[in-house]
Amino acid sequence: MKKKNNILTIMKKEFARFFGDRRMVLTTLLLPGLLIYATYSLMGSAITDLVEVDEGYIYEVSTINVPESVNDMLSGKFELKEISTAEEPNVKNEIAAKNTDLLMVFPQEFDALVASYDSLSGKAAPHIEIYYNSVSTESYNAFTAVTAILNDYEASMINKFDVNVGEGFDLAS
């Protein structure tokens, strides 16, 4: 019984000394918590600035042979610019240089190809090529948004076309 009283007495003295000294409470309890909060707040805001795009940013999307059905779906969110196939290499260079966000290449008469495609035929589905730069936040965000819209459109038609089959569509160096 005496040992228990000695332990309790020592604990009471240590707690009184600890909580009685304001500097000790500040440096051992409050300061580490404040430093952790400040560090993670700064890290979170820095990472958010790297990943997010400005609210008013308008994505610049160059297109080749874009059909009306897809043009109507994309025209609200993106600034679509129809180009010729001769301009394709220049636009790819602009994407690599982070001056343009996206290039979408559709086959000629895409809507007719999609309508006539039979998934059981064994033939390859009509293919949309989307060129982007994964290093550029704007380009990558435009790519993910366009891909999501096209995947939803494709799902509504039961796999009538493909998006970016193969490799070589990310133009980041």
Side-chain angles (χ1 to χ4, degrees):
M1 190 74 159
K2 188 167 180 158
K3 279 191 175 190
K4 255 189 185 180
N5 285 340
N6 285 340
I7 291 174
L8 288 175
T9 305
I10 292 171
M11 284 178 55
K12 286 179 185 176
K13 285 181 180 179
E14 288 299 318
F15 279 131
R17 185 175 71 86
F18 179 80
F19 288 109
D21 187 0
R22 290 184 182 142
R23 288 180 299 171
M24 189 176 291
V25 171
L26 178 72
T27 59
T28 57
L29 294 180
L30 296 177
L31 197 57
L34 290 173
L35 288 174
I36 289 172
Y37 174 76
T39 302
Y40 284 124
S41 295
L42 289 173
M43 285 174 50
S45 65
I47 290 171
T48 301
D49 288 345
L50 288 175
V51 175
E52 286 186 353
V53 178
D54 293 335
E55 271 304 302
Y57 186 80
I58 298 173
Y59 298 105
E60 295 178 21
V61 178
S62 298
T63 60
I64 298 175
N65 301 325
V66 65
E68 285 299 315
S69 58
V70 177
N71 191 17
D72 294 340
M73 286 187 288
L74 299 177
S75 62
K77 288 185 172 184
F78 306 97
E79 181 182 312
L80 300 176
K81 176 183 164 189
E82 182 73 24
I83 62 168
S84 66
T85 53
E87 296 176 87
E88 184 177 345
N90 295 336
V91 173
K92 286 181 181 177
N93 290 335
E94 287 182 20
I95 291 171
K98 301 180 186 177
N99 295 332
T100 300
D101 297 323
L102 216 61
L103 170 63
M104 296 173 54
V105 181
F106 291 84
Q108 292 264 346
E109 300 176 15
F110 176 76
D111 285 335
L113 289 172
V114 167
S116 66
Y117 177 71
D118 181 17
S119 59
L120 300 176
S121 68
K123 293 181 182 177
H127 179 244
I128 302 170
E129 298 174 354
I130 303 175
Y131 296 94
Y132 66 101
N133 186 338
S134 63
V135 175
S136 169
T137 303
E138 293 83 5
S139 180
Y140 186 73
N141 286 348
F143 170 72
T144 55
V146 165
T147 304
I149 291 169
L150 290 175
N151 284 336
D152 289 342
Y153 181 54
E154 178 187 20
S156 71
M157 292 193 291
I158 310 169
N159 198 20
K160 291 275 193 166
F161 63 90
D162 293 324
V163 177
N164 280 9
V165 174
E167 294 181 10
F169 300 102
D170 184 1
L171 300 177
S173 56

